[in-house]
Each structure stands twice: as structure tokens, then as C-alpha cells.
């Protein structure tokens, strides 16, 4: 090859390298973008009056006067709809059988859609499920409900050899020529007067407990469960890990058989698939040691602790190794014992490094799902007190993300909650990690300076 | 099992040493932090909506009670009941003889409470022009003998068969009532819950799946089976061929006046019926 | 006077000797405790092996080895039940293979770029990207795969595939064309060489790009009946394995040292030639270890495959058809432990432990291999 070609190949190879780096960054962006954008939607959204009513009645947030005034306003705006319905029903009473029959079905459907949009109709008993006691709390979902109210979605199956085509027909056609006809135009024009959408910052999403299978409220039980599990795992793993690291670095000679064996064990432990930890936690902590009767935060935290143990050991080892040998020599030459030298000189010097490893391990423990499926996680539960963690299971963010997006009965209706949970978990983990990165940056700076 | 009577005693000892502290902190009977007022439910995802709504309703009436609901499958529910790790097992099938005898061996006496009746609806994507299948057609689809909708008079589209995971009561019920002796083909996709099954069908034009009646909504289309449409009426009257009762199992009949008793008899109350109806299941009571 | 002093000295000597003994004893005891704690945290792995084997053995006693490893009939709940796990092993293997195909070329080129091409300041920017990618919890990847990626793949799968095909093949084809034509034209006389090269390139380009276009078009026409399939999972697992592969192979490339690179540059090699002929071969074993770690990450991952692989216990036809749903070992364990009735000790419960045992053995084997590779390298490096 001549020089130009070699140069060109070189350039293209460089390009390939850049391309792969960019692709990786793009993968991160593509992954995070929907999670961040739609996840923020759980916190910042256009809340309707129903949202404020629910917040006040269920959680006691907001001012009574304001909510009452707003409720009065929207009741006034909704009244014509209910009046029209009542008038139409009275009209049907006196109508002939054929038209009663013709309108009964569509009327029932229309009422269903109205209930879904605005909450229970005024004359009816309060429904027992909370999801039916309130109308749409979010404007985006309200608009979808409005669409379903205005348009009927049917499929054209005229050609049985093809998949059906979707056809949208205005629902008003079902009520052509009746007194209900103007209702649709009214609802369409006055939807925002009836629901009063307003930009809302719902930061309490993090701290509200959930209601009616996550239809309403926030994610506090899950968040708290994750915090308990993470802290428990760290409390278990860090002392054990740091002591092991001290032993491996300070009390053994590199290359001895014992160290080789210990290291092989720890390396193998680091490679064990997380689901195997879950099975092990079930078989060992619950079925053999009986740390709790069944799933509990304690059993889950111990399992997670074992999972992060090898990482804690490795990072602590690295941190201790990074302490300059001169520190130790200076301490020893002053006549202190080895153990004193370790606890008063080496460990303090290694502390930031150990902390970095701990924080990264926390992120890992917070995000792991497989080990807690059989040892700690349930889909519905109340926030636990500290003492309860010894015997009771808890919901936890990673498990409930799985549960809500693939086991919940209304997967689509609560997408915003799922995204909110994923967003919270990812942010929690990324915050912990960026904390670790900052910590490390400060250490390197100090070491250099 | 008896072949490994004394497995690695040394390891046991080290284990004892290692986790002694832990074990001391948490006595095995869980005496710490145990509240009297708690009810633990474990089991079927099909019964899940009912138990979750009941729990929500009950906890609102009795704010001092903590009810946890795990949805880990009917088999897991039975196991938890036998091991004494839950107070009531939600199951979408009756207990199997082995489970029953294992329970009796452990001194647990399972008592069944029929909470509701559920039909298993065969669902397809709403754009699918099919309206009816016979039981044998459904069986052939899941056995892999029919792989295209055109073979049952539909459009030329590959069938994506979606089944519940084999640990679910819904699966076993479907298996018994529809598949009978046939085996489900390997190419069938498995999902973990009724909600997931419906979600997969609503997003996959060629799909067919089966879900509990309570999970039907506008996003999927329920097919008639043997020309009977699945709805509360046809299920109660027994005309719809794929239906089964849903159970809560307890260890013995719960003590009168206990929270557990109130919980497992909630379905007999008017409010309970309302909850069950509004979740789309068929109640066992008939309040008007 | 002298006497007393001597006695005092002797006394203090005696005291210090006793104290010394005590101290030594304490040190020894302390050391023993440290060893105990350390070995217990290392011995956890033996516990894991013990407890998994304890519950896995009954399965093999009940059902033997043959069915589990050779049959594809996975009907754990029917009666009579059958526990053929071949298709599940194939599923695990297939998604792992897919993940490796995605992550290895990308990861190794990214590592090369990171270690030898990017300026220092940019490297400081890219590293956090990798760390963030590594930190994101697997359930978030699973959520993305199931909720965002699977519907897209189902709706626009053909377009996505053909775009990806073009993005990957077009630059590579261009590069190959240039190399081939310049090699072929180097025999030509000086006068017509550049002309000849252009002509050759053009002549070769036509069929090549036609081929690429043809394949791309057939990709475009593909209809993906279900977005929850092996391809989806492979891509996501590949992205998850990337950080491991990049950072470990970058370490390997860095450890090659400046002398080799400088030597190559001094001989007039371009950077590409240096990397491809000198540095990468020298860092070969480290890169192998990186790939093995990536494989382990992909094999052991649970949530993504459980949520988005479709969980169909089948061997796709043909076996490499990644558009079919598959089922993996980890997802089977996660999904079926629900039935696991310990009480009766059924084969159905123990089969899951048998699978866990297989996973453990696989991860141990890979660990062993990568350990050996790393150790051999460090010995060579020292020698």
C-alpha cells in the first residue's frame, strides 16, 4: 500500500473509533431520554381539579378553601352536562320501546366515559374503588378519555382475509336528533373549564404512599424499602469487607497459597449471577437460618450484602494499597503497634477511597432486583418502621418497576407511575455514582497536591 | 435426600459463627417488630386485583392494620401457606393433592373460601376480524398445529400465541379446560401475568392470548368460544366453557372477629361484591 | 548502686518480656480473628455452592442427567412432567452470543479509541459516560427493552434493522474497498496507478453496494411479529456488557506500555498499524479477559431477559433466528420459583436449583479461564 492509502486507512480507523464512542454515548442518551422525559412527567404535569381534590381528601395537602372554591366552579361548569343527561333520561322514560332499546346501550357507554373523565355522576352512590371515585387527575390522560368519549373506535372487518382497519366515528351520531346531541359539543368546548388543568409540581410523588394499586399517590413505601435494603446491605457488607481487605493487604504475603485461595473465592463470588444469590438467600437465610419467617427486609439486605461484598473488598483493598508506604513506616517507627498503625493512620488515609467503593456498592445494591424477588419484595405494603424490617417484607423500587410494568392489571393506565419509579431509581443510582466520582476526583487531587 | 445426612459439618460451624450475630439480632420466631395487626396474602396474580383492592379497602377502614400482598403465583401461595409464611393464599385453582397432603403433614389444615368466579377469555388484537373459535381450534393454535389465522378463516397473518407462565393458576386452568392432553407448543411466548398478557396482545396484531375476565378492556377483543361470549352472565350460568372459581385458602377456619376472618369474608359483604364487580369478576353473592 | 540499677533494669526487662508475650498473643489472636472474618467472607462462595448443590442433587437423583441435558421438552407443570432444558440452554447461549456480537466490536474499538486516540480532556468526559452506563440498574434496562424498545421493534423493526445494517456495513465496505483496490493497484505502473485505483474501486463498489442494498432491502421488508425476542434482548444485553468490556480492555491496552508504541512509530507505522499489529496483539489476553467478563455479565443477567425475551422454551428455527422469542436459564429461575413447592420437594423445585448450579459452574469456569489468562499475562509482563 502506498502512503496515501495507509493514511486514509488510518483516518478511517480513527473514524471508526470515534464512531463507536459516539454510538455508546448515543445508546446512553437513547436509553435515558425517555426515562428522564417521561419520568419527569410523574413529577411535573398538568394536574386537573380532580388531582387537587384527591390530594386534599386523601393526603390532606392543599387548602380547604381553595379546593372547595374550585370544586364549586367546576360543578357549575359540569352541571349542564348532567342536566342534559337527566333531561334525556326523562325523555327516554316516555319514549316508545324501540327508541329506548336503541339508546340504552349507547347511553350506558356514554355514562361510563363521562364517569371515567369527570368522576362519579352526581346522583349516584360513591363507588367503592378509589380509581372510580375520581375523574382523570392528569390532563394528558383526561384528553385521551375525552377522545374516547367523543369518538367511537371500531374496526372494519368487511374483508375477512385482511386485518381490520380502524375507523373512528363521532359518538354524537348515536344520539342524532335527540336532546343529547349538544352535549358532545359542550363537553368538547368546556373540557378545560370542567377540569381546570394547571401545571403542577407534584414533588410529594416521592413521599406519598400509594393508593388503589398505584393508581393514585406516590412511591414512598417503595422508596423507603429500597433505602432500608440498601443501608442494611451496606451495614452488613462494609465492616466485613473492610476487615477482609485489611487482612488481605496488611497481614498476608502476596503469592502465598492462602491468599491465592481467598482471592479465587472472592473473584468467583463476584462472578455469581444475581439470580443465584436470590435462590441462595431463599435457601440459606430463610429456609435454613430462619432469620425471618418468610420474606423480610433483613433477609433481602443480607442477600444484597453478600452480593456487594466482593466489590467492597476489592475497592477497600485498592484504597488501602493506595496509602503511601511511608505513612505506615512513619507510624511504625514511632513505636506504635501494627494494629494501632492500621486503625489510626492507614484507615483514615484510606477512608475516602473506601467511602467511594461503599457509595458505588450502595448504587448497585439499590438497583438489584433478582436477589430480592424471593427474599424481600412484595407488590403492595405499607411503609415499614425500623423494627418491622426484621420480620416483614417490603415493596422496593426495582421489584415494583417489574411488577407494575408486567404484572399489574392496568399496565397502560399507570405508565406515568412506572416511568416515575424508573426515573427515581435511575437518579438515585446515578446520584450515588456521581457522588463517588466527585469523591474520587477530590482524592486524586489531594494525592497529587 | 437421606444420602447427605452430614454435609460438611465444618462449613455449618463456620456459618454458625459468621451469622450468629445476625441470628441473635433476629430471633427466628420474628418476635421483634411483629405487629399483631397484620395479614399477609400471597399467591395468584389473577386474584391479585381482588386481594389488593380488598387490602386497600380494609386498611382504609382499619388504619392500624398492615396487609401485605405478594403476587407470586398460585403455587407459591400454597407453599407459603403450608410453610406458615402467609395467612391467606390466593389461588386461581384448587389445591393439588400433593400440596394438600404436604399441608396436613405440617399440621396446616387448608380451608377454601371461594371469593369469585372468573372466566378465561381468549383475546386477540382488536383489528383481528375473528369473532369466534371453537375449543378445539384454540387447542390446535396453542399446540402449534394452526400457525396462521388463515387456517381458521381469518387473514393471512402469523399467529403469535401468548400463554401465562406455567406457575400460574390461569395456566393450569387453561391447560385442563382447553388443552386437555395436548401439550403447548414450544414457540408459545410466556408472560408473567394477566396484565402482561393483555398488554402483549394489544400491542401485537397477530397475537392470541388468554386472560381472566377481570382483565378485559377496550384495548383487546375477547373472542366467543363455541359461540358463547365471555361475560358475567354466561360465566355464572356455566354456558361459557372456560371458567373457574377463585379461592382464598386459610389455615383452618379463621378465628371469628379476627382481621383475617374479616378479610377472607369480605367478598360476602355488599361492598365486597361491588369491588369484585367493578374489577370485572363475577361475584358469588347477589345483592341488588 | 550498680546492683540496684541492674535489678531495676532486670525487672523492667522481665515486665516487658511478659507484656511482649501478651502483646504477641493478642496480636496472634487478633490476626486469627481477622483471618476468620476474611475467610468467612471468602467462604460464602462455598456456602452458595453447597446450598445450591444440596437442592440440585435431588433433581438428578429423581430424573437422571439425560433428559435435562438432551431433551427440548420443557413441561414442568404437566403430568407427567418433562424437564428437558436444552432449548433453555440454547436460549441463554443465543442471547449471550448476540450480546457479544453487539458489544465486542463496539467495545474493543471504543477501548482503542479511548486509550490511544482521544485527547486527555475528552477521555475525562467519556469515562463518566461509561460509568453511568455501568451503573444503570438492570431493571431500568429491562423496562426500556419492554416498554420502549419492543413496541418500536415490532412496529418499525424492518426500518431499524436496515438502518443499522447500513450504518455498520457502509463504512466498513468503504474501507475494505479502498484497501483492496489500493493493494491491487500497487502493481500498476506509476502513471496510471491513481486512475487505476479509482477505476478498480468504482468497479468493485457497484456490486458491493448492490449487495448491501439488496440485503438491506430484505431487512427492510422483514415483519417482526413480536418485539419481545432474542434480538431485542441481545442488543440491550450488549449495551449492558459494553462498560465492562471497554474498561477492562482499555486497562489492558494501557498496560502495554509506551515503548512498543514508540518503537512502532519510529519505524514509520501509522497509528492504525501500530494498534492492529503491535498493541492489540500484545494486549490480546487482557482483551480476552474483558470479553469473558462481558459474557458472564450477559449470561447472568436476569431482569432484561425475563421482561423482554418472550420466554418461549424453544430452539428458534433456524437456530440463529434472533427474531424468535427464547427463554433463558435466569428467566426460568426467576419466573418459576413461584411454583417451587419446597414442601413436597418436587422435581419441579429442584430443577431450578439444577439450573442455578449450571449457571454457577459456567460462571466459575469462565472466571477460572479469565483468571488464568490474566495471571499468565502478568507473568509474561514481569519476565
Amino acid at each position: 500500500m502506498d502512503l496515501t492509502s495507509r493514511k486514509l486507512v488510518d483516518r478511517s480507523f480513527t473514524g471508526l473509533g470515534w464512531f463507536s464512542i459516539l454510538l455508546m454515548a448515543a445508546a446512553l442518551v437513547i436509553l435515558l431520554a425517555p426515562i428522564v422525559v417521561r419520568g419527569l412527567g410523574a413529577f411535573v404535569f398538568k394536574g386537573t381539579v380532580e388531582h387537587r381534590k384527591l390530594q386534599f381528601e386523601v393526603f390532606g395537602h392543599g387548602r380547604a378553601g381553595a379546593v372547595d372554591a374550585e370544586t364549586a366552579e367546576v360543578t357549575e361548569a359540569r352541571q349542564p352536562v348532567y342536566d342534559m343527561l337527566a333531561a334525556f333520561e326523562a325523555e327516554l322514560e316516555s319514549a316508545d320501546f324501540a327508541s329506548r332499546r336503541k339508546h340504552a346501550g349507547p347511553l350506558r357507554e356514554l355514562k361510563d366515559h363521562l364517569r371515567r373523565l369527570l368522576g362519579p355522576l352526581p346522583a349516584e352512590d360513591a363507588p367503592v374503588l378509589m380509581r372510580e371515585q375520581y375523574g382523570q387527575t392528569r390532563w394528558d390522560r383526561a384528553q385521551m378519555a375525552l377522545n374516547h368519549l367523543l369518538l367511537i373506535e371500531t374496526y372494519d372487518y368487511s374483508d375477512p382475509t385482511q386485518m381490520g382497519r380502524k375507523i373512528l366515528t363521532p359518538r354524537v351520531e348515536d344520539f342524532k336528533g335527540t336532546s343529547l346531541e349538544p352535549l358532545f359539543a359542550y363537553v368538547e368546548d368546556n373540557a378545560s373549564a370542567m377540569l381546570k388543568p394547571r401545571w403542577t409540581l407534584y414533588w410529594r410523588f416521592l413521599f406519598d404512599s400509594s393508593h388503589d394499586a398505584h393508581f393514585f399517590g406516590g412511591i414512598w413505601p417503595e422508596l423507603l424499602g429500597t433505602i432500608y435494603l440498601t443501608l442494611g446491605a451496606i451495614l452488613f457488607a462494609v465492616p466485613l469487607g473492610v476487615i477482609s481487605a485489611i487482612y488481605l493487604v496488611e497481614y498476608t504475603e502476596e503469592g502465598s497459597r492462602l491468599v491465592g485461595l481467598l482471592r479465587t473465592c472472592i473473584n468467583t463470588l463476584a462472578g455469581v449471577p444475581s439470580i443465584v444469590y436470590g435462590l441462595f438467600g431463599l435457601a440459606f437465610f430463610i429456609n435454613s437460618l430462619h432469620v425471618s419467617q418468610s420474606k423480610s427486609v433483613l433477609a433481602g439486605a443480607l442477600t444484597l450484602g453478600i452480593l456487594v461484598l466482593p466489590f467492597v473488598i476489592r475497592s477497600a483493598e485498592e484504597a488501602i494499597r493506595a496509602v503511601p508506604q511511608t505513612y505506615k513506616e512513619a507510624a511504625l517507627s514511632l513505636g506504635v503497634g501494627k494494629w494501632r498503625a492500621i486503625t489510626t493512620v492507614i484507615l483514615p488515609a484510606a477512608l475516602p477511597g473506601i467511602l467511594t467503593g461503599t457509595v458505588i456498592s450502595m448504587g448497585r445494591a439499590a438497583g438489584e432486583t433478582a436477589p430480592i424477588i424471593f427474599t424481600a419484595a412484595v407488590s403492595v405494603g405499607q411503609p415499614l418502621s425500623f423494627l418491622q424490617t426484621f420480620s416483614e417484607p417490603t415493596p422496593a423500587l426495582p421489584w415494583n418497576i417489574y411488577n407494575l410494568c408486567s404484572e399489574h392489571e392496568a399496565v397502560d393506565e399507570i405508565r406515568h407511575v412506572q416511568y416515575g419509579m424508573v426515573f427515581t431509581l435511575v437518579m438515585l443510582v446515578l446520584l450515588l455514582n456521581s457522588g463517588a466520582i466527585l469523591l474520587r476526583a477530590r482524592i486524586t487531587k489531594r494525592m497529587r497536591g | 435426600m437421606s444420602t447427605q445426612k452430614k454435609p460438611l459439618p465444618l462449613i455449618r460451624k463456620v456459618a454458625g459463627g459468621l451469622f450468629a450475630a445476625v441470628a441473635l439480632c433476629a430471633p427466628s420466631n420474628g418476635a421483634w417488630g411483629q405487629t399483631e395487626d397484620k395479614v399477609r396474602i400471597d399467591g395468584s396474580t389473577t386474584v391479585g386485583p381482588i386481594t389488593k383492592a380488598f387490602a386497600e379497602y380494609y386498611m382504609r377502614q382499619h388504619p392500624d392494620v398492615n396487609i401485605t400482598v405478594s403476587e407470586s403465583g398460585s403455587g407459591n401461595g400454597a407453599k407459603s401457606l403450608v410453610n406458615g409464611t402467609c395467612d391467606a393464599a390466593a389461588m386461581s385453582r384448587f389445591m393439588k393433592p400433593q400440596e394438600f397432603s404436604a399441608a396436613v403433614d405440617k399440621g396446616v389444615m387448608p380451608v377454601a373460601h371461594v371469593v369469585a368466579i372468573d372466566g378465561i377469555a381468549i383475546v386477540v388484537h382488536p383489528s383481528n376480524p375473528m369473532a369466534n373459535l371453537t375449543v378445539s381450534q384454540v387447542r390446535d393454535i396453542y399446540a402449534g398445529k394452526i400457525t396462521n389465522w388463515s387456517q381458521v378463516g381469518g387473514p393471512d397473518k402469523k399467529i403469535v400465541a401468548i400463554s401465562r407462565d406455567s406457575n400460574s393458576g390461569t395456566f393450569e386452568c387453561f391447560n385442563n379446560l382447553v388443552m386437555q392432553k395436548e401439550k403447548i407448543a414450544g414457540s408459545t411466548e410466556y408472560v408473567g401475568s394477566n396484565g402482561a398478557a393483555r398488554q402483549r396482545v394489544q400491542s401485537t396484531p397477530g397475537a392470541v392470548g388468554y386472560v381472566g375476565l377481570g382483565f378485559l378492556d377496550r384495548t383487546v377483543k375477547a373472542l366467543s368460544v363455541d359461540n358463547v361470549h365471555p361475560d358475567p352472565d354466561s360465566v355464572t350460568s356455566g354456558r361459557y366453557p372456560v371458567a373457574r372459581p377463585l379461592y382464598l385458602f386459610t389455615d383452618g377456619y379463621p378465628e371469628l372477629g379476627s382481621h383475617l376472618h374479616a378479610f377472607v369474608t369480605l367478598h360476602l359483604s355488599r361492598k365486597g361484591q361491588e369491588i369484585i364487580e367493578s374489577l370485572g369478576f363475577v361475584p358469588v353473592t347477589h345483592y341488588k | 548502686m550498680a546492683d540496684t540499677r541492674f535489678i531495676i533494669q532486670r525487672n523492667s526487662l522481665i515486665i516487658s518480656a511478659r507484656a511482649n508475650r501478651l502483646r504477641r498473643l493478642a496480636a496472634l489472636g487478633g490476626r486469627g480473628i481477622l483471618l476468620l472474618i476474611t475467610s468467612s467472607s471468602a467462604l460464602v462462595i462455598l456456602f452458595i455452592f453447597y446450598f445450591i448443590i444440596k437442592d440440585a442433587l435431588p433433581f438428578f437423583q429423581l430424573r437422571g442427567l439425560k433428559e435435562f441435558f438432551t431433551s427440548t421438552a420443557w413441561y414442568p407443570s404437566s403430568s407427567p412432567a418433562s424437564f428437558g432444558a436444552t432449548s433453555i440452554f440454547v436460549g441463554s447461549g443465543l442471547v449471550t452470543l448476540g450480546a457479544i456480537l453487539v458489544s465486542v466490536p463496539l467495545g474493543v474499538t471504543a477501548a482503542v479509541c479511548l486509550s490511544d486516540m482521544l485527547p486527555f480532556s475528552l477521555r475525562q468526559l467519556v469515562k463518566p459516560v461509561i460509568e453511568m452506563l455501568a451503573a444503570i440498574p438492570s431493571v431500568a434496562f429491562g423496562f426500556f427493552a419492554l416498554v420502549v424498545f419492543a413496541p418500536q421493534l415490532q412496529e418499525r423493526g424492518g426500518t431499524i434493522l436496515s438502518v443499522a445494517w447500513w450504518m455498520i456495513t457502509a463504512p466498513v465496505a468503504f474501507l475494505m474497498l479502498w484497501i483492496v483496490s489500493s493493494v491491487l493497484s500497487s502493481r500498476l505502473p506509476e502513471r496510471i496507478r491513481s486512475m487505476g485505483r479509482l477505476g478498480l474501486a468504482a468497479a468493485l463498489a457497484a456490486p458491493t453496494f448492490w449487495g448491501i442494498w439488496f440485503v438491506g432491502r430484505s431487512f427492510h421488508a422483514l415483519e417482526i411479529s413480536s418485539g419481545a425476542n432474542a434480538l431485542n434482548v441481545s442488543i440491550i444485553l450488549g449495551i449492558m456488557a459494553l462498560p465492562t468490556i471497554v474498561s477492562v480492555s482499555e486497562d489492558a491496552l494501557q498496560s502495554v506500555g509506551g515503548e512498543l508504541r514508540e518503537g512502532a512509530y519510529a519505524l514509520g507505522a501509522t497509528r492504525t498499524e501500530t494498534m492492529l499489529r503491535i498493541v492489540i496483539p500484545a494486549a490480546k489476553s487482557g482483551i480476552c479477559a474483558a470479553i469473558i467478563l462481558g459474557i458472564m455479565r450477559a449470561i447472568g443477567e436476569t431482569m432484561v431477559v425475563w421482561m423482554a425475551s418472550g420466554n418461549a422454551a424453544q430452539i428458534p428455527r433456524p437456530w440463529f433466528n434472533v427474531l424468535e422469542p427464547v427463554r433463558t436459564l435466569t428467566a426460568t429461575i426467576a419466573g418459576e420459583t413461584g411454583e417451587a413447592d419446597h414442601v413436597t420437594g418436587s422435581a419441579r423445585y429442584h430443577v431450578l436449583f439444577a439450573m442455578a448450579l449450571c449457571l454457577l459452574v459456567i460462571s466459575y469456569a469462565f472466571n477460572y479461564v479469565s483468571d488464568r489468562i490474566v495471571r499468565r499475562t502478568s507473568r509474561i509482563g514481569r519476565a
Side-chain angles (χ1 to χ4, degrees), chain C residues 146-163:
Chain C
L146 176 70
V147 176
V148 183
F149 194 40
Q152 290 296 327
L153 204 56
Q154 202 166 294
E155 252 174 64
R156 289 180 257 284
T159 321
I160 293 175
L161 279 182
S162 60
V163 168

Side-chain angles (χ1 to χ4, degrees), chain A residues 352-415:
Chain A
I354 294 175
L355 271 182
T356 313
T358 306
V359 172
I360 291 181
S361 310
M362 278 173 83
R364 222 190 115 109
E368 274 294 343
T369 320
I372 61 172
I373 302 174
F374 317 127
T375 54
V378 288
S379 25
V380 168
Q382 285 184 335
L384 299 181
S385 71
F386 173 69
L387 278 184
Q388 284 173 319
T389 56
F390 287 95
S391 61
E392 293 197 26
T394 178
L397 280 176
W399 163 253
N400 279 69
I401 290 170
Y402 167 77
N403 181 264
L404 289 194
C405 76
S406 58
E407 293 192 342
H408 195 274
E409 69 261 28
V411 196
D412 264 350
E413 276 89 337
I414 53 162
R415 278 276 183 248

Side-chain angles (χ1 to χ4, degrees), chain C residues 174-189:
Chain C
F174 185 74
L175 198 63
M176 294 314 283
L177 272 179
W178 192 271
I179 294 173
V180 168
S181 60
S182 75
V183 166
L184 288 182
S185 63
S186 62
R187 299 274 174 80
L188 292 177

Side-chain angles (χ1 to χ4, degrees), chain B residues 119-122 213 216 222-225 228-235 240 242:
Chain B
I120 298 179
I122 310 294
L213 213 53
L216 283 184
L223 298 183
S224 306
V225 177
V228 183
H229 193 72
D231 56 37
D233 286 339
S234 61
V235 169
Y240 186 70
V242 203

Side-chain angles (χ1 to χ4, degrees), chain A residues 1-2 4-6 8-10 12-14 17-21 23-25 27-28 30-32 34 240 243-244 247-248 251 258 262 264-269 271-277 279-280 282-284 287-288 306 309 313 339 367 369-370 373-374 398-399 401-402 405-406 415 418-419 422 425-426 429-430 433 437 440, chain C residues 31 34-35 37-39 41-42 44-45 47-48 51-52 55 106 109-110 112-114 117-118 122 126 129-133 135-137 139-141 143-144 146-148 167 175 178-179 182-183 197 239 242 246 268-273 276 296 300 302-303 306-307 330 333-334 337 342 349 352-353 356 359-360 363-364 367 371:
Chain A
M1 276 199 282
D2 62 28
T4 24
S5 314
R6 283 173 58 196
L8 194 92
V9 169
D10 189 45
S12 338
F13 188 70
T14 313
W18 279 88
F19 175 72
S20 58
I21 293 269
L23 209 60
M24 204 159 65
L28 185 70
I30 290 174
L31 181 80
L32 283 183
L240 221 66
I243 291 176
S244 306
Y247 182 78
L248 283 176
Y251 286 89
L258 180 71
L262 290 178
T264 313
C265 283
I266 293 170
N267 283 346
T268 316
L269 193 61
V272 172
S274 54
I275 187 76
V276 177
Y277 280 103
L279 271 188
F280 169 69
L282 172 74
F284 183 56
N287 289 347
S288 297
I306 289 186
L309 187 60
I313 294 180
W339 182 246
T369 320
I373 302 174
F374 317 127
W399 163 253
I401 290 170
Y402 167 77
C405 76
S406 58
R415 278 276 183 248
Q418 297 162 16
Y419 273 105
V422 179
L425 182 66
V426 169
V429 171
L430 289 188
N433 269 272
I437 292 174
R440 200 176 46 207
Chain C
R31 217 184 140 140
L34 283 185
L35 173 64
I37 293 175
T38 311
S39 48
S41 53
V44 169
I45 184 68
F47 275 115
I48 294 182
F51 272 92
I52 300 293
D55 273 326
L106 206 61
T109 38
V112 168
C113 182
L114 206 57
M117 295 177 188
L118 288 186
L122 260 176
V126 174
V129 169
I130 296 170
E131 274 168 17
M132 273 164 82
L133 214 50
I136 292 175
V139 70
F141 278 103
F143 181 79
F144 178 84
L146 176 70
V147 176
V148 183
M167 260 169 68
L175 198 63
W178 192 271
I179 294 173
S182 75
V183 166
R197 187 193 303 150
I239 293 173
L242 260 184
V246 174
T270 62
R271 183 156 60 188
T272 309
E273 288 154 357
L276 287 181
M296 279 166 67
T302 310
M303 293 318 286
W306 192 20
M307 289 161 95
T330 49
I333 297 174
T337 309
H342 314 181
Y349 170 64
L352 300 174
F353 280 83
L359 276 175
L360 259 180
S363 71
Y364 178 75
N367 222 318
D371 232 38

Side-chain angles (χ1 to χ4, degrees), chain A residues 160-290:
Chain A
T161 61
Q162 291 294 318
M163 294 303 275
R165 280 182 306 110
K166 195 193 264 188
I167 304 170
L168 294 173
T169 47
R171 194 177 294 276
V172 63
E173 279 172 19
D174 279 352
F175 298 94
K176 262 263 153 15
T178 68
S179 64
L180 218 47
E181 205 181 326
L183 180 136
F184 295 92
Y186 180 83
V187 171
E188 194 171 4
D189 294 339
N190 293 290
S192 78
M194 290 191 292
L195 285 165
K196 290 202 165 293
R198 193 198 301 156
W199 281 105
T200 314
L201 171 65
Y202 182 35
W203 56 272
R204 285 201 179 91
F205 180 72
L206 289 179
F207 304 109
D208 278 345
S209 58
S210 80
H211 279 275
D212 197 6
H214 284 99
F215 264 86
F216 302 119
I219 56 172
W220 178 237
E222 287 78 21
L223 188 59
L224 186 69
T226 298
I227 293 172
Y228 274 141
L229 283 170
T230 312
L231 289 182
I234 289 304
L235 278 181
F236 173 69
V238 166
L240 221 66
V242 172
I243 291 176
S244 306
I246 291 173
Y247 182 78
L248 283 176
V249 178
E250 297 292 337
Y251 286 89
T252 57
E253 285 156 44
E254 204 51 47
S256 78
R257 264 192 132 156
L258 180 71
V259 178
L261 193 71
L262 290 178
R263 234 170 255 288
T264 313
C265 283
I266 293 170
N267 283 346
T268 316
L269 193 61
V272 172
S274 54
I275 187 76
V276 177
Y277 280 103
L279 271 188
F280 169 69
L282 172 74
F284 183 56
F285 292 121
I286 296 179
N287 289 347
S288 297
L289 279 188
H290 299 291

Side-chain angles (χ1 to χ4, degrees), chain B residues 142-184:
Chain B
Y142 275 92
K145 290 179 192 158
I146 296 178
T147 55
N148 196 302
W149 285 111
S150 60
Q151 287 167 277
V152 284
D156 176 24
K157 189 131 191 124
K158 196 183 157 210
I159 298 180
V160 180
I162 290 161
S163 165
R164 287 292 315 284
D165 232 331
S166 49
N167 64 349
S168 65
T170 316
F171 171 86
E172 295 201 7
C173 193
F174 180 81
N175 217 9
N176 292 339
L177 294 174
V178 176
M179 299 310 290
Q180 288 151 11
K181 295 275 174 242
E182 288 273 359
K183 282 189 167 173
I184 289 185

